[in-house]
Amino acid sequence: MPALIDIRRRIRSVKNTQQITKALKMVSAAKLRRAQESMFAARPYARTMAQVLKDVAARTEGEENHPLFRPASKEGKALLIVVTADKGLCGAFNSSLLRVAQRYLADTEREVLIDAVGRKGRDFLKRRATIRKEYIGAFQSLKYSTAQEIAQSAIKSFLDREVEEVFLLFNEFKSIIQQRIVIERLLPLQALEERKSVQDYVYEPGPKEIFEKLLPKIVETTVWQALLESQAAEHGARMAAMDAATRNATQTIDSLTLYMNKVRQAAITKEIIEVVSGSAA
Amino acid sequence: MADSHLPTKLTLEVVTPDGLLMRDEVDSVQAPGSEGSFGVLPGHIPMLATLGAGEIIYRQGSEVGHIACMFGFCEVLPDRVHILAEGGERAEEIDVARAEKAKARAAERMKMVKDEEGFKEAQADYVKAIARLSAASHTKGA
């Protein structure tokens, strides 16, 4: 039978753990709120941007001539931008995304290069694929310039024909407790197959100058939105995971306390028996 | 008559990466194109333009509204105007004192910096501050 003091020690240790998970949950809740706000704020911009791209693709002749519309050839490499968290303790957030990444690596016939955003993805994929670039610590304070950097580097690699396609893999924020893993084609930009017979745009300045500015911006915005979604999803996942951990700790404490009381009762009974049998002798 | 097919209102939507600034029905819009300011009435032919720093002026009946706008794009369709600005503020929300300070700071930096890159940055900040000030100057009490 374990000594009382050992059980007490275990209860104390579980209590300490519980305090930590509780605090982490609270921190995540606060961070989640902020992340959610900036994500919702950025959504209209991304949506309008996507709308404009669609209009542009439906209206213009000759946008296929812009290098970012270049269709992917059969040969050549692909670039996969994997967005994970820097930290763990968030349930299956990273691992299920990385499982999808691994499946993608297995299913793709091209050679795949990886741009890893987030430490967890980098560590996992380091041994399984070629990491082209890594962005660690971006989520400590998320800035638009990070998205810009990621997008610019992908665009450059695409234009230099280092890669033929660019995909973006990230967790989309669906609700606080739910994430959806999304894999999205970033480049080449999709030209609409069916062209509506509508008037072409008037451009001010010329179409070339506008595309030169607009198209990279669209890529940047897509990356930015993905980072915001992933950030909010991460905090949501962590909050849910820490909530579950806190609940588990409560349960463990309850059962340990019950056990401790039983042991104590047994010890007291034993002592009484000893005293009684001692006086009887 | 062909005119009956033309829309009589424009839906103006101004968005920035920090959020939606406005979405409303308006009668006309004036936007700061990078090649010069342009006006849009309902039924305009489709147009795609880049924007400089300046103010967006829109009219709703007899009301006139102002929004400071810092670079971006503008898509014009016969019944819609989408403005994707990199930054922007509604005239009522502009902090004039802060904009004045930013303008002074940028002007100072334009004198100080030696390299082209830094100068361009300072210059961009300067025109942004001016855009904010000119939009704010139309509100009452400014």
Side-chain angles (χ1 to χ4, degrees):
Chain A
M1 190 165 286
L4 261 182
I5 189 135
D6 289 336
I7 304 176
R8 281 220 188 89
R9 229 177 251 151
R10 270 206 64 195
I11 292 179
R12 211 179 315 133
S13 120
V14 175
K15 256 188 194 151
N16 283 341
T17 310
Q18 189 189 29
Q19 256 162 14
I20 292 167
T21 58
K22 224 189 237 165
L24 266 176
K25 182 192 152 193
M26 241 108 82
V27 170
S28 294
K31 282 188 180 165
L32 171 69
R33 210 168 317 123
R34 238 176 308 139
Q36 233 176 324
E37 264 167 32
S38 49
M39 180 189 67
F40 286 139
R43 266 185 184 171
Y45 188 78
R47 210 177 301 129
T48 313
M49 194 60 111
Q51 180 65 42
V52 170
L53 175 65
K54 237 164 104 200
D55 291 347
V56 167
R59 273 160 197 276
T60 42
E61 297 289 342
E63 85 277 358
E64 304 94 309
N65 295 337
H66 191 280
L68 289 183
F69 281 103
R70 183 192 83 213
S73 75
K74 286 243 152 41
E75 278 127 49
K77 298 171 186 174
L79 176 66
L80 182 68
I81 303 176
V82 182
V83 186
T84 57
D86 283 322
K87 290 180 214 149
L89 295 180
C90 44
F93 178 83
N94 293 316
S95 51
S96 45
L97 184 111
L98 291 171
R99 212 169 314 128
V100 174
Q102 213 173 3
R103 193 156 2 114
Y104 175 86
L105 288 177
D107 291 348
T108 311
E109 278 156 31
R110 313 166 176 277
E111 189 187 334
V112 181
L113 301 178
I114 303 278
D115 271 13
V117 185
R119 182 172 289 119
K120 287 287 166 183
R122 197 263 325 253
D123 291 350
F124 180 84
L125 293 166
K126 194 162 55 179
R127 280 166 281 124
R128 293 171 175 82
T130 325
I131 307 264
R132 192 183 72 103
K133 276 202 144 192
E134 53 183 63
Y135 306 90
I136 308 291
F139 289 107
Q140 261 158 26
S141 64
L142 201 51
K143 287 199 194 68
Y144 187 75
S145 55
T146 314
Q148 218 162 8
E149 199 187 323
I150 296 169
Q152 292 301 346
S153 149
I155 289 173
K156 189 171 177 306
S157 161
F158 180 77
L159 291 181
D160 293 348
R161 307 214 112 200
E162 189 190 352
V163 297
E164 287 295 318
E165 296 178 285
V166 181
F167 286 94
L168 187 61
L169 176 65
F170 65 100
N171 273 295
E172 189 185 55
F173 180 88
K174 224 173 144 203
S175 74
I176 293 176
I177 46 163
Q178 238 185 336
Q179 301 92 39
R180 202 161 64 94
I181 294 169
V182 181
I183 185 158
E184 201 177 287
R185 172 199 290 274
L186 202 58
L187 289 172
L189 293 172
Q190 217 82 44
L192 284 197
E193 293 191 359
E194 213 174 307
R195 194 174 302 283
K196 281 184 254 164
S197 53
V198 275
Q199 235 174 328
D200 195 0
Y201 282 109
V202 172
Y203 295 96
E204 199 183 304
K208 196 156 167 283
E209 287 89 340
I210 292 200
F211 281 142
E212 213 59 50
K213 279 189 181 168
L214 180 66
L215 299 180
K217 197 87 201 167
I218 288 171
V219 179
E220 276 172 23
T221 311
T222 314
V223 174
W224 174 234
Q225 191 63 28
L227 292 186
L228 288 174
E229 295 270 349
S230 174
Q231 174 177 254
E234 176 196 339
H235 291 312
R238 179 162 303 126
M239 201 177 99
M242 286 303 112
D243 189 45
T246 309
R247 241 176 303 129
N248 282 346
T250 312
Q251 241 173 45
T252 310
I253 290 171
D254 283 352
S255 64
L256 276 176
T257 311
L258 189 68
Y259 183 49
M260 181 186 77
N261 286 341
K262 273 188 194 154
V263 171
R264 196 186 58 196
Q265 200 61 55
I268 292 170
T269 313
K270 205 173 114 203
E271 263 172 49
I272 292 176
I273 292 172
E274 271 165 18
V275 170
V276 170
S277 56
S279 67
Chain B
M1 217 168 99
D3 275 5
S4 62
H5 298 297
L6 281 180
T8 55
K9 289 265 185 190
L10 284 168
T11 307
L12 171 65
E13 195 174 290
V14 184
V15 289
T16 70
D18 301 320
L20 181 73
L21 278 187
M22 81 166 281
R23 180 191 288 142
D24 212 349
E25 298 256 293
V26 300
D27 295 312
S28 75
V29 180
Q30 196 184 327
S34 56
E35 312 278 284
S37 179
F38 59 84
V40 179
L41 289 170
H44 198 285
I45 51 168
M47 178 172 82
L48 205 57
T50 53
L51 299 179
E55 51 181 323
I56 301 163
I57 306 170
Y58 60 90
R59 201 165 52 78
Q60 285 174 305
S62 57
E63 304 244 329
V64 177
H66 298 262
I67 298 176
C69 151
M70 289 86 185
F71 307 102
F73 303 94
C74 177
E75 185 201 25
V76 178
L77 296 172
D79 59 343
R80 267 176 297 157
V81 178
H82 287 148
I83 293 182
L84 293 144
E86 275 164 40
E89 272 168 274
R90 306 188 61 126
E92 306 86 75
E93 288 153 10
I94 292 170
D95 184 340
V96 177
R98 232 188 67 200
E100 288 280 8
K101 260 186 224 154
K103 181 180 158 190
R105 240 192 347 258
E108 194 61 30
R109 257 176 43 222
M110 265 157 69
K111 279 184 213 143
M112 301 288 283
V113 288
K114 300 274 184 285
D115 57 321
E116 186 117 351
E117 196 92 322
F119 182 78
K120 275 200 181 133
E121 241 170 65
Q123 196 181 27
D125 284 350
Y126 187 69
V127 290
K128 278 181 198 171
I130 290 181
R132 284 217 293 278
L133 286 174
S134 79
S137 67
H138 298 288
T139 56
K140 284 172 206 131

